[in-house]
Amino acid sequence: MNLKFRKVVCLLSAAEYQPNIGSAGTQCRVGAGGVGRRAKAKGWRAGPEIKKSDLFRIFAANVRDGEKINLHTRAFSQQITKLVRDRAAAKVDLGVAGAMTNIHDYFACLEDACFGDPVSPPGEYPVRTGTPLLLQSAAGPCPDEDEWYSSVVTLDHWMMMLRDKKYYELFALAHRSKSGSRDSLIQAKLSTLTSGFFQIREDFRFGNPMVWFTPRRRLEARLRAYTKARKGDAARDFLGLVHRCENEYLVAVHVPAELLVKIKSARPTIADAGRHRRFMAASASSPASFGPAWGQTLDLEAFETGRAPKDGGAERVSECLTHAAAADTELGFTYLGKLTSSRGLALDTAGRACSDSDAEFAKSLIARDKAAFDKVMRRL
């Protein structure tokens, strides 16, 4: 994201400083069975098992929509799928006639191609440094309209950022505890920390490899309609963070615009989204809810209750934010509390199909233009 901002609240979705997660919420490995049959590039293809998967259909619908609204070119989509093909041919067990059959292998290859191969510093989560495919939207710079922006992250992630002495007790508890944010001592301390300011520790990279953010004023306007016990759920739903589940604890990190102008940002594309299960390249509204510089999240609460997709918050992505860029600037935070529910499950506790499942979301996106979707599927 470029240009000048005023207020920013950063929200990390699938690309937090943590291992990437699949639709089942588990870490996925590429080529877990070792290097298998290597397909020649000419004979490689996505197998029918992949094309039938809901996650792939969501990806293909966003390829269609990104091209339709000129977020990126068809050549950009083809470049990404070629890189996935090349990685698959080199790293993943392929089936008959060089067909990839595992959707998690596909998205692991896609994220490696777009986010960069993960490296693992001692004692830390794998780090991704990004590639030139990221932040390539043709939508233009972010308008100068806010002083702060926000990004919603897990409590454990936020505690990893801290370098402030005033939060040292909390930081020390986090690193001593085997239960992380669920530790009773941490919870007791958090009862006194509703909001405030902090500085990023010297060796921390906020964003892996990028930060997702929304205007702070829009997020806080949404949260005002909810009780304290429901603010975590409200933030998760507003920002489309379907991978954040019941019993997780969330924090909104607030970044001043003066920091974001120092780094690149853009409206997110399929390359930035990776395997994000509720990414929407194009608005569900006509006209769009926000200006062309902004993408939009899916409102998870509205989708579960009404099935028809509805825009949630505005969103952009930026390069990671480091201590070197932040220097001595203080970031803000708001503790949002514990999630009381999960979204986007395939089945409810009674074994019934959920109205906000991956299948329902894929179906709703495809219905926008089925003929164009079929053409994209044949290309992929």
Side-chain angles (χ1 to χ4, degrees):
M1 310 164 205
N2 349 41
L3 281 201
K4 204 176 170 188
F5 305 120
R6 292 183 199 142
K7 273 191 181 180
V8 183
V9 178
C10 301
L11 35 137
L12 289 180
S13 64
E16 242 182 59
Y17 192 78
Q18 62 177 21
N20 291 294
I21 59 173
S23 57
T26 55
Q27 186 176 357
C28 301
R29 292 175 55 208
V30 179
V35 177
R37 278 169 287 182
R38 297 190 178 186
K40 295 179 180 178
K42 187 176 180 181
W44 185 95
R45 63 188 178 87
E49 296 88 347
I50 287 182
K51 291 196 171 186
K52 290 177 183 176
S53 73
D54 298 320
L55 201 57
F56 189 85
R57 284 148 54 88
I58 291 169
F59 171 72
N62 280 309
V63 169
R64 175 202 64 194
D65 291 344
E67 293 174 2
K68 182 180 285 189
I69 64 174
N70 298 316
L71 199 58
H72 55 79
T73 63
R74 177 169 173 171
F76 182 75
S77 305
Q78 291 174 326
Q79 180 184 7
I80 291 172
T81 53
K82 181 182 183 300
L83 287 170
V84 174
R85 176 197 72 192
D86 293 344
R87 283 179 173 270
K91 299 173 73 172
V92 177
D93 289 338
L94 303 175
V96 177
M100 185 187 286
T101 58
N102 188 310
I103 186 61
H104 297 300
D105 283 344
Y106 186 92
F107 279 97
C109 286
L110 184 144
E111 288 184 340
D112 286 349
C114 296
F115 297 171
D117 290 309
V119 294
S120 299
E124 298 283 7
Y125 286 126
V127 171
R128 294 177 184 266
T129 56
T131 72
L133 291 171
L134 299 181
L135 311 178
Q136 292 301 309
S137 166
C142 186
D144 176 19
E145 57 187 18
D146 286 280
E147 294 178 356
W148 289 84
Y149 294 85
S150 300
S151 180
V152 172
V153 302
T154 62
L155 174 60
D156 292 322
H157 183 197
W158 175 69
M159 290 191 295
M160 291 172 63
M161 301 183 197
L162 301 176
R163 82 167 195 179
D164 301 60
K165 290 183 179 179
K166 59 185 174 182
Y167 300 129
Y168 181 77
E169 181 182 351
L170 182 64
F171 184 72
L173 282 170
H175 284 268
R176 281 204 311 266
S177 170
K178 293 182 179 179
S179 7
S181 57
R182 292 170 177 77
D183 188 292
S184 59
L185 292 175
I186 293 177
Q187 286 301 306
K189 182 69 176 174
L190 281 170
S191 66
T192 67
L193 289 175
T194 55
S195 62
F197 295 90
F198 71 99
Q199 291 180 317
I200 298 177
R201 79 177 208 234
E202 287 81 352
D203 59 343
F204 191 79
R205 291 162 46 94
F206 183 26
N208 188 31
M210 59 205 157
V211 176
W212 293 70
F213 66 84
T214 194
R216 178 178 181 174
R217 60 184 170 84
R218 293 183 184 273
L219 175 62
E220 292 183 338
R222 172 68 171 249
L223 296 182
R224 281 195 287 272
Y226 294 81
T227 64
K228 182 178 180 180
R230 288 273 295 140
K231 288 191 185 299
D233 296 282
R236 184 268 316 277
D237 292 347
F238 185 58
L239 299 173
L241 306 181
V242 73
H243 58 294
R244 294 289 164 229
C245 304
E246 184 178 4
N247 295 325
E248 288 189 277
Y249 296 82
L250 300 183
V251 174
V253 176
H254 309 307
V255 182
E258 63 199 57
L259 289 186
L260 287 186
V261 299
K262 299 177 182 179
I263 56 180
K264 184 178 180 181
S265 72
R267 179 173 172 171
T269 69
I270 51 170
D272 306 305
R275 75 182 78 204
H276 185 6
R277 294 162 49 213
R278 293 297 179 269
F279 178 63
M280 285 198 309
S283 173
S285 303
S286 183
S289 302
F290 312 107
W294 290 96
Q296 58 289 306
T297 67
L298 174 74
D299 186 323
L300 300 180
E301 182 180 29
F303 184 58
E304 182 177 43
T305 56
R307 293 205 182 191
K310 179 183 177 182
D311 293 346
E315 66 178 358
R316 282 176 71 89
V317 286
S318 77
E319 295 175 319
C320 65
L321 186 61
T322 63
H323 175 75
D328 294 325
T329 303
E330 287 192 316
L331 308 186
F333 77 89
T334 302
Y335 176 56
L336 299 173
K338 182 179 180 178
L339 293 177
T340 64
S341 65
S342 298
R343 300 286 193 197
L345 302 177
L347 301 173
D348 63 17
T349 54
R352 296 169 300 206
C354 293
S355 60
D356 65 335
S357 65
D358 292 352
E360 290 297 329
F361 184 55
K363 188 187 304 181
S364 68
L365 289 183
I366 293 166
R368 295 182 183 185
D369 189 339
K370 179 65 164 57
F373 172 81
D374 290 341
K375 290 181 181 178
V376 170
M377 286 290 278
R378 287 194 289 273
R379 275 170 38 203
L380 298 178

PDB file of all heavy atoms in Angstrom, residues 7-9 146 148-150 197 214-221 254 332-334:
ATOM      1  N   LYS A   7      -4.895   6.612   9.761  1.00  0.00           N
ATOM      2  CA  LYS A   7      -5.077   5.656  10.839  1.00  0.00           C
ATOM      3  C   LYS A   7      -5.205   4.272  10.278  1.00  0.00           C
ATOM      4  O   LYS A   7      -6.003   4.086   9.431  1.00  0.00           O
ATOM      5  CB  LYS A   7      -6.325   5.978  11.639  1.00  0.00           C
ATOM      6  CG  LYS A   7      -6.108   6.964  12.743  1.00  0.00           C
ATOM      7  CD  LYS A   7      -7.302   7.013  13.639  1.00  0.00           C
ATOM      8  CE  LYS A   7      -7.169   7.973  14.737  1.00  0.00           C
ATOM      9  NZ  LYS A   7      -8.301   8.043  15.597  1.00  0.00           N
ATOM     10  N   VAL A   8      -4.487   3.309  10.814  1.00  0.00           N
ATOM     11  CA  VAL A   8      -4.491   1.972  10.247  1.00  0.00           C
ATOM     12  C   VAL A   8      -4.604   0.911  11.307  1.00  0.00           C
ATOM     13  O   VAL A   8      -3.911   0.967  12.272  1.00  0.00           O
ATOM     14  CB  VAL A   8      -3.207   1.704   9.488  1.00  0.00           C
ATOM     15  CG1 VAL A   8      -3.231   0.352   8.847  1.00  0.00           C
ATOM     16  CG2 VAL A   8      -3.009   2.782   8.481  1.00  0.00           C
ATOM     17  N   VAL A   9      -5.479  -0.047  11.126  1.00  0.00           N
ATOM     18  CA  VAL A   9      -5.576  -1.218  11.991  1.00  0.00           C
ATOM     19  C   VAL A   9      -5.182  -2.406  11.162  1.00  0.00           C
ATOM     20  O   VAL A   9      -5.785  -2.633  10.147  1.00  0.00           O
ATOM     21  CB  VAL A   9      -7.003  -1.439  12.500  1.00  0.00           C
ATOM     22  CG1 VAL A   9      -7.074  -2.689  13.343  1.00  0.00           C
ATOM     23  CG2 VAL A   9      -7.468  -0.232  13.295  1.00  0.00           C
ATOM     24  N   ASP A 146      -7.087   8.235   6.194  1.00  0.00           N
ATOM     25  CA  ASP A 146      -7.105   7.766   7.575  1.00  0.00           C
ATOM     26  C   ASP A 146      -5.752   7.994   8.236  1.00  0.00           C
ATOM     27  O   ASP A 146      -4.718   8.019   7.569  1.00  0.00           O
ATOM     28  CB  ASP A 146      -7.456   6.280   7.639  1.00  0.00           C
ATOM     29  CG  ASP A 146      -8.923   6.026   7.371  1.00  0.00           C
ATOM     30  OD1 ASP A 146      -9.728   6.207   8.303  1.00  0.00           O
ATOM     31  OD2 ASP A 146      -9.260   5.665   6.236  1.00  0.00           O
ATOM     32  N   TRP A 148      -4.921   6.053  11.096  1.00  0.00           N
ATOM     33  CA  TRP A 148      -4.540   4.763  11.652  1.00  0.00           C
ATOM     34  C   TRP A 148      -5.193   3.649  10.858  1.00  0.00           C
ATOM     35  O   TRP A 148      -6.291   3.812  10.335  1.00  0.00           O
ATOM     36  CB  TRP A 148      -5.005   4.630  13.110  1.00  0.00           C
ATOM     37  CG  TRP A 148      -4.273   5.477  14.086  1.00  0.00           C
ATOM     38  CD1 TRP A 148      -4.522   6.787  14.394  1.00  0.00           C
ATOM     39  CD2 TRP A 148      -3.172   5.087  14.898  1.00  0.00           C
ATOM     40  NE1 TRP A 148      -3.656   7.230  15.342  1.00  0.00           N
ATOM     41  CE2 TRP A 148      -2.800   6.198  15.681  1.00  0.00           C
ATOM     42  CE3 TRP A 148      -2.458   3.892  15.048  1.00  0.00           C
ATOM     43  CZ2 TRP A 148      -1.750   6.164  16.600  1.00  0.00           C
ATOM     44  CZ3 TRP A 148      -1.412   3.853  15.959  1.00  0.00           C
ATOM     45  CH2 TRP A 148      -1.069   4.976  16.724  1.00  0.00           C
ATOM     46  N   TYR A 149      -4.501   2.522  10.815  1.00  0.00           N
ATOM     47  CA  TYR A 149      -5.046   1.305  10.217  1.00  0.00           C
ATOM     48  C   TYR A 149      -4.849   0.156  11.204  1.00  0.00           C
ATOM     49  O   TYR A 149      -4.043   0.251  12.113  1.00  0.00           O
ATOM     50  CB  TYR A 149      -4.380   1.028   8.869  1.00  0.00           C
ATOM     51  CG  TYR A 149      -4.698   2.081   7.843  1.00  0.00           C
ATOM     52  CD1 TYR A 149      -3.950   3.254   7.776  1.00  0.00           C
ATOM     53  CD2 TYR A 149      -5.759   1.931   6.965  1.00  0.00           C
ATOM     54  CE1 TYR A 149      -4.261   4.248   6.862  1.00  0.00           C
ATOM     55  CE2 TYR A 149      -6.072   2.925   6.044  1.00  0.00           C
ATOM     56  CZ  TYR A 149      -5.322   4.080   6.000  1.00  0.00           C
ATOM     57  OH  TYR A 149      -5.642   5.065   5.098  1.00  0.00           O
ATOM     58  N   SER A 150      -5.608  -0.936  11.011  1.00  0.00           N
ATOM     59  CA  SER A 150      -5.578  -2.014  11.997  1.00  0.00           C
ATOM     60  C   SER A 150      -5.409  -3.380  11.360  1.00  0.00           C
ATOM     61  O   SER A 150      -5.872  -3.621  10.255  1.00  0.00           O
ATOM     62  CB  SER A 150      -6.877  -2.016  12.800  1.00  0.00           C
ATOM     63  OG  SER A 150      -7.042  -0.806  13.475  1.00  0.00           O
ATOM     64  N   PHE A 197      -0.394   1.122  24.089  1.00  0.00           N
ATOM     65  CA  PHE A 197       0.621   1.292  23.054  1.00  0.00           C
ATOM     66  C   PHE A 197       1.811   0.392  23.361  1.00  0.00           C
ATOM     67  O   PHE A 197       2.043   0.018  24.513  1.00  0.00           O
ATOM     68  CB  PHE A 197       1.069   2.760  22.979  1.00  0.00           C
ATOM     69  CG  PHE A 197      -0.023   3.695  22.541  1.00  0.00           C
ATOM     70  CD1 PHE A 197      -0.857   4.292  23.480  1.00  0.00           C
ATOM     71  CD2 PHE A 197      -0.235   3.955  21.196  1.00  0.00           C
ATOM     72  CE1 PHE A 197      -1.880   5.146  23.083  1.00  0.00           C
ATOM     73  CE2 PHE A 197      -1.254   4.802  20.788  1.00  0.00           C
ATOM     74  CZ  PHE A 197      -2.073   5.400  21.738  1.00  0.00           C
ATOM     75  N   THR A 214      -6.961  -2.853   7.600  1.00  0.00           N
ATOM     76  CA  THR A 214      -8.241  -2.207   7.342  1.00  0.00           C
ATOM     77  C   THR A 214      -8.240  -0.853   8.034  1.00  0.00           C
ATOM     78  O   THR A 214      -7.500  -0.664   9.019  1.00  0.00           O
ATOM     79  CB  THR A 214      -9.401  -3.080   7.879  1.00  0.00           C
ATOM     80  OG1 THR A 214     -10.645  -2.626   7.356  1.00  0.00           O
ATOM     81  CG2 THR A 214      -9.464  -3.050   9.395  1.00  0.00           C
ATOM     82  N   PRO A 215      -9.020   0.129   7.596  1.00  0.00           N
ATOM     83  CA  PRO A 215      -9.104   1.395   8.327  1.00  0.00           C
ATOM     84  C   PRO A 215      -9.621   1.175   9.754  1.00  0.00           C
ATOM     85  O   PRO A 215     -10.649   0.535   9.959  1.00  0.00           O
ATOM     86  CB  PRO A 215     -10.096   2.216   7.498  1.00  0.00           C
ATOM     87  CG  PRO A 215      -9.977   1.662   6.114  1.00  0.00           C
ATOM     88  CD  PRO A 215      -9.760   0.188   6.307  1.00  0.00           C
ATOM     89  N   ARG A 216      -8.916   1.714  10.695  1.00  0.00           N
ATOM     90  CA  ARG A 216      -9.268   1.514  12.103  1.00  0.00           C
ATOM     91  C   ARG A 216     -10.677   2.022  12.415  1.00  0.00           C
ATOM     92  O   ARG A 216     -11.430   1.377  13.151  1.00  0.00           O
ATOM     93  CB  ARG A 216      -8.245   2.218  12.993  1.00  0.00           C
ATOM     94  CG  ARG A 216      -8.542   2.119  14.478  1.00  0.00           C
ATOM     95  CD  ARG A 216      -7.452   2.794  15.292  1.00  0.00           C
ATOM     96  NE  ARG A 216      -7.726   2.673  16.726  1.00  0.00           N
ATOM     97  CZ  ARG A 216      -6.875   3.069  17.669  1.00  0.00           C
ATOM     98  NH1 ARG A 216      -5.707   3.593  17.328  1.00  0.00           N
ATOM     99  NH2 ARG A 216      -7.192   2.934  18.950  1.00  0.00           N
ATOM    100  N   ARG A 217     -11.020   3.170  11.879  1.00  0.00           N
ATOM    101  CA  ARG A 217     -12.328   3.766  12.189  1.00  0.00           C
ATOM    102  C   ARG A 217     -13.471   2.849  11.764  1.00  0.00           C
ATOM    103  O   ARG A 217     -14.502   2.767  12.447  1.00  0.00           O
ATOM    104  CB  ARG A 217     -12.469   5.134  11.517  1.00  0.00           C
ATOM    105  CG  ARG A 217     -12.369   5.096   9.997  1.00  0.00           C
ATOM    106  CD  ARG A 217     -12.409   6.464   9.363  1.00  0.00           C
ATOM    107  NE  ARG A 217     -12.079   6.378   7.939  1.00  0.00           N
ATOM    108  CZ  ARG A 217     -12.948   6.087   6.991  1.00  0.00           C
ATOM    109  NH1 ARG A 217     -14.225   5.874   7.312  1.00  0.00           N
ATOM    110  NH2 ARG A 217     -12.571   6.020   5.726  1.00  0.00           N
ATOM    111  N   ARG A 218     -13.308   2.145  10.640  1.00  0.00           N
ATOM    112  CA  ARG A 218     -14.366   1.234  10.175  1.00  0.00           C
ATOM    113  C   ARG A 218     -14.481   0.015  11.095  1.00  0.00           C
ATOM    114  O   ARG A 218     -15.583  -0.448  11.392  1.00  0.00           O
ATOM    115  CB  ARG A 218     -14.083   0.781   8.741  1.00  0.00           C
ATOM    116  CG  ARG A 218     -14.180   1.890   7.698  1.00  0.00           C
ATOM    117  CD  ARG A 218     -13.961   1.311   6.305  1.00  0.00           C
ATOM    118  NE  ARG A 218     -13.941   2.339   5.274  1.00  0.00           N
ATOM    119  CZ  ARG A 218     -15.036   2.799   4.657  1.00  0.00           C
ATOM    120  NH1 ARG A 218     -16.224   2.333   4.990  1.00  0.00           N
ATOM    121  NH2 ARG A 218     -14.925   3.724   3.710  1.00  0.00           N
ATOM    122  N   LEU A 219     -13.346  -0.514  11.519  1.00  0.00           N
ATOM    123  CA  LEU A 219     -13.370  -1.663  12.419  1.00  0.00           C
ATOM    124  C   LEU A 219     -14.023  -1.294  13.749  1.00  0.00           C
ATOM    125  O   LEU A 219     -14.887  -2.007  14.265  1.00  0.00           O
ATOM    126  CB  LEU A 219     -11.950  -2.179  12.651  1.00  0.00           C
ATOM    127  CG  LEU A 219     -11.809  -3.316  13.663  1.00  0.00           C
ATOM    128  CD1 LEU A 219     -12.566  -4.564  13.208  1.00  0.00           C
ATOM    129  CD2 LEU A 219     -10.340  -3.646  13.904  1.00  0.00           C
ATOM    130  N   GLU A 220     -13.611  -0.156  14.310  1.00  0.00           N
ATOM    131  CA  GLU A 220     -14.139   0.225  15.611  1.00  0.00           C
ATOM    132  C   GLU A 220     -15.619   0.583  15.544  1.00  0.00           C
ATOM    133  O   GLU A 220     -16.360   0.364  16.503  1.00  0.00           O
ATOM    134  CB  GLU A 220     -13.311   1.369  16.189  1.00  0.00           C
ATOM    135  CG  GLU A 220     -11.882   0.899  16.538  1.00  0.00           C
ATOM    136  CD  GLU A 220     -11.041   1.966  17.170  1.00  0.00           C
ATOM    137  OE1 GLU A 220     -11.354   3.179  16.997  1.00  0.00           O
ATOM    138  OE2 GLU A 220     -10.037   1.606  17.838  1.00  0.00           O
ATOM    139  N   ALA A 221     -16.066   1.108  14.411  1.00  0.00           N
ATOM    140  CA  ALA A 221     -17.495   1.384  14.242  1.00  0.00           C
ATOM    141  C   ALA A 221     -18.292   0.084  14.288  1.00  0.00           C
ATOM    142  O   ALA A 221     -19.379   0.020  14.881  1.00  0.00           O
ATOM    143  CB  ALA A 221     -17.737   2.123  12.929  1.00  0.00           C
ATOM    144  N   HIS A 254      -2.835  -1.587  15.987  1.00  0.00           N
ATOM    145  CA  HIS A 254      -3.104  -0.340  15.272  1.00  0.00           C
ATOM    146  C   HIS A 254      -1.796   0.311  14.829  1.00  0.00           C
ATOM    147  O   HIS A 254      -0.897   0.536  15.642  1.00  0.00           O
ATOM    148  CB  HIS A 254      -3.894   0.615  16.163  1.00  0.00           C
ATOM    149  CG  HIS A 254      -5.105  -0.001  16.788  1.00  0.00           C
ATOM    150  ND1 HIS A 254      -6.059  -0.644  16.051  1.00  0.00           N
ATOM    151  CD2 HIS A 254      -5.502  -0.093  18.093  1.00  0.00           C
ATOM    152  CE1 HIS A 254      -7.014  -1.096  16.863  1.00  0.00           C
ATOM    153  NE2 HIS A 254      -6.693  -0.781  18.093  1.00  0.00           N
ATOM    154  N   GLY A 332      -0.457   0.934  18.434  1.00  0.00           N
ATOM    155  CA  GLY A 332      -1.535   0.774  19.394  1.00  0.00           C
ATOM    156  C   GLY A 332      -2.043  -0.655  19.409  1.00  0.00           C
ATOM    157  O   GLY A 332      -1.774  -1.443  18.503  1.00  0.00           O
ATOM    158  N   PHE A 333      -2.787  -1.015  20.452  1.00  0.00           N
ATOM    159  CA  PHE A 333      -3.421  -2.328  20.483  1.00  0.00           C
ATOM    160  C   PHE A 333      -4.744  -2.238  21.233  1.00  0.00           C
ATOM    161  O   PHE A 333      -4.936  -1.387  22.103  1.00  0.00           O
ATOM    162  CB  PHE A 333      -2.520  -3.390  21.118  1.00  0.00           C
ATOM    163  CG  PHE A 333      -2.456  -3.320  22.623  1.00  0.00           C
ATOM    164  CD1 PHE A 333      -3.369  -4.017  23.424  1.00  0.00           C
ATOM    165  CD2 PHE A 333      -1.483  -2.549  23.261  1.00  0.00           C
ATOM    166  CE1 PHE A 333      -3.314  -3.946  24.801  1.00  0.00           C
ATOM    167  CE2 PHE A 333      -1.426  -2.476  24.641  1.00  0.00           C
ATOM    168  CZ  PHE A 333      -2.334  -3.175  25.417  1.00  0.00           C
ATOM    169  N   THR A 334      -5.656  -3.130  20.879  1.00  0.00           N
ATOM    170  CA  THR A 334      -6.909  -3.320  21.598  1.00  0.00           C
ATOM    171  C   THR A 334      -7.096  -4.814  21.805  1.00  0.00           C
ATOM    172  O   THR A 334      -7.083  -5.575  20.829  1.00  0.00           O
ATOM    173  CB  THR A 334      -8.110  -2.758  20.815  1.00  0.00           C
ATOM    174  OG1 THR A 334      -7.898  -1.371  20.554  1.00  0.00           O
ATOM    175  CG2 THR A 334      -9.403  -2.939  21.611  1.00  0.00           C
TER     176      THR A 334
END
